[in-house]
Amino acid sequence: MKRILENIEPCYVFRYFEDLTRIPRGSGNEDMVCEYLIKFAKDHEFTYYKDDMKNVLINVPATPGYENHPVIILQAHTDMVCEKNEETIHDFTKDPIKIEIEGDKVIAKETTLGADDGMGIALAMALATDPEAAHPALEIVCTSDEERGMSGVEFFDASVLKGRTLINLDADDEGVFVVGCAGGPVIRTEIPVVWENVTDEFIPVQIKIAGLKGGHSGEDIHRGRGNSNILLNRILRRIESAMHYYISEVSGGLQYNAIPREAEATIFVPNKNLEEVLKIVNEMTAIFKNEYYLIEDDMKISVEKVVAVSRRVLSKESQKGFMNFITFSECGITRMNLQLDGVVESSVSVGVVRTEADKLIVMTMTRSSMKSMYMEMYYKIVKLAQEVKGKIQILNNCPEWEFNPKSEVKQLFEKTYEEIFDKKPKVTVLHAGLECGIFAKKIPEYVDMIAVGPDIRDLHTPGEYVLISSVQRFYKFFKEVFKLL
């Protein structure tokens, strides 16, 4: 098969990256990429280790002159997010990704490209085999199933690692060095409810919020985007201040780790107050559009009479408990990083709300780069749940990677980058989870860590691309900094 990236420099990086685009490797489907990595290790006479979760560790000897330098861990994940345009025919379990060169881009126009984190794997493989690269002994850790919750690294036996400096290759901004990440529990709250039937003097109406931008509940939380669950609750509270009404159904958000874009509620209002409800919703719409006029330019809020499938509604006490829980839930940024300007330290997002048979479900995502802060947010949710006789379940708990301003690897990367490019890199803490947090938890001794990478854009969506010129600059820097480790 003809190589599309054959003449693109750096040739080692793009050769391995193109290989990876031909290998199906969606989360949970990493058998073939494991075989590829093992063959790579055997072909170059590197020792390797594969565990039952399809994590692969490749041990690369030091190049001449670096035998006495400390071992360096290089880490990236093998799986990718599999998304395609609705009309695109593509089977991610067997079809290669169709890549193109478009100017300065390597792009997959109809599907995800898998540069997250195929580019990280390719960079590690290139450094290990490039005859012009000098480096200490390397432990290349290729983890599985990162995109679905980091189950691969959770299973990985980190006690086999000798290195105490770890370079994560899952960052996607050239010249931006990630030196910490957020952790925190995802909390599912079940609020018990009592149902009753509403009388005929009440009529059903449906209120819908749509068209919000949404986004990642960590990486986009600083953008000030509207949370549909919170906005819907504000409308319901405003109606409550004007009349007695009943909630029949509530639904908002699809994923706990996303800022919810849509929400809707079916409520029963007094027939005589229908016009007043319409007026209130219009007033609140104007208020929201004024509050978010620079951000949410496609916000849509509608209210209309509907035909009720059921006249079952929440009891007065159940409705009060639910409304209070949402009203007093923290949502948004709770604290900024005190050491890094413009970086979010702690936040909460009410991601999912829905009514079920005998309960209301609320899913809340807490994030902070400091354990004490996300535990404080967690305890507040626990207390709120207790007030409404609810119970909580922790769905996921990603550990934080706390920023160390005295990190030696950070200082070395900053100094080298500035010497090569005559400009300072940006140093930041990612307001999302990285596998570094789990390595920090699994290895008892201090591990000095940094996350880096070239420019990758439109991750997790069709049209994902990597900038060729950025890879070229990054690899130049990458090889230079390894001479100094």
Side-chain angles (χ1 to χ4, degrees), residues 126 228 257 386:
S228 59
N257 59 355
Q386 289 173 351

Side-chain angles (χ1 to χ4, degrees), residues 254-429:
L254 297 174
Q255 303 291 336
Y256 59 70
N257 59 355
I259 301 169
R261 301 174 60 249
E262 300 180 354
E264 62 183 59
T266 300
I267 64 174
F268 281 80
V269 301
N271 192 18
K272 64 181 180 179
N273 295 118
L274 178 59
E275 289 301 317
E276 188 175 3
V277 171
L278 299 178
K279 182 181 176 182
I280 288 171
V281 173
N282 288 335
E283 287 175 353
M284 294 303 294
T285 300
I287 288 171
F288 294 159
K289 288 194 173 182
N290 180 57
E291 291 175 352
Y292 293 94
Y293 76 99
L294 287 176
I295 303 165
E296 300 290 3
D297 52 4
D298 199 32
M299 180 192 299
K300 298 179 180 67
I301 302 177
S302 63
V303 55
E304 60 180 354
K305 289 176 62 176
V306 293
V307 177
V309 175
S310 167
R311 297 189 69 82
R312 187 189 72 165
V313 295
L314 295 179
S315 70
K316 183 178 179 180
E317 284 302 308
S318 294
Q319 184 165 315
K320 177 183 176 182
F322 165 65
M323 295 283 290
N324 283 345
F325 186 90
I326 301 299
T327 297
F328 294 110
S329 289
E330 291 182 300
C331 191
I333 296 170
T334 60
R335 198 165 92 150
M336 299 297 289
N337 192 293
L338 302 182
Q339 300 180 81
L340 299 170
D341 289 342
V343 175
V344 178
E345 178 204 87
S346 307
S347 73
V348 194
S349 177
V350 180
V352 177
V353 174
R354 66 171 182 264
T355 46
E356 290 191 354
D358 58 350
K359 53 185 170 284
L360 278 150
I361 304 298
V362 182
M363 296 188 192
T364 310
M365 181 101 209
T366 67
R367 297 181 191 270
S368 181
S369 52
M370 297 184 72
K371 183 177 181 179
S372 59
M373 291 304 299
Y374 68 65
M375 290 305 296
E376 177 66 14
M377 295 184 282
Y378 165 74
Y379 289 134
K380 288 181 180 180
I381 295 168
V382 170
K383 293 300 291 182
L384 269 178
Q386 289 173 351
E387 290 295 319
V388 295
K389 298 181 173 58
K391 60 181 181 179
I392 68 163
Q393 174 189 4
I394 295 178
L395 299 180
N396 188 15
N397 194 0
C398 178
E400 76 288 352
W401 164 25
E402 212 164 316
F403 171 51
N404 174 14
K406 297 180 180 179
S407 162
E408 292 181 5
V409 71
K410 174 188 84 74
Q411 293 170 12
L412 176 63
F413 272 55
E414 285 183 285
K415 181 175 181 290
T416 307
Y417 188 89
E418 189 169 358
E419 287 175 351
I420 293 174
F421 298 113
D422 196 28
K423 62 179 180 179
K424 290 182 179 293
K426 180 180 178 181
V427 175
T428 191
V429 171

Side-chain angles (χ1 to χ4, degrees), residues 34-153:
C34 281
E35 292 173 6
Y36 169 76
L37 291 169
I38 290 169
K39 183 178 185 303
F40 165 81
K42 290 179 176 178
D43 287 348
H44 293 89
E45 298 183 345
F46 301 148
T47 61
Y48 68 90
Y49 164 77
K50 173 180 172 290
D51 64 23
D52 292 340
M53 276 294 290
K54 303 171 190 174
N55 298 303
V56 177
L57 166 64
I58 301 172
N59 295 292
V60 180
T63 54
Y66 287 81
E67 295 87 350
N68 295 324
H69 288 228
V71 176
I72 303 297
I73 303 167
L74 275 176
Q75 189 265 317
H77 65 85
T78 56
D79 62 321
M80 64 174 281
V81 171
C82 298
E83 290 287 341
K84 65 184 182 69
N85 291 328
E86 187 175 354
E87 68 279 4
T88 299
I89 299 172
H90 185 92
D91 186 344
F92 282 102
T93 66
K94 63 180 181 180
D95 295 339
I97 301 296
K98 295 178 182 178
I99 60 173
E100 300 178 32
I101 299 173
E102 187 181 77
D104 192 32
K105 302 175 183 176
V106 176
I107 188 170
K109 292 184 177 179
E110 302 297 325
T111 68
T112 40
L113 175 65
D116 174 16
D117 192 22
M119 182 52 66
I121 298 287
L123 284 162
M125 296 171 72
L127 186 73
T129 53
D130 185 342
E132 296 181 1
H135 56 78
L138 306 175
E139 294 174 318
I140 301 177
V141 182
C142 306
T143 51
S144 67
D145 207 26
E146 187 268 353
E147 298 290 2
R148 292 193 307 184
M150 304 187 187
S151 61
V153 68

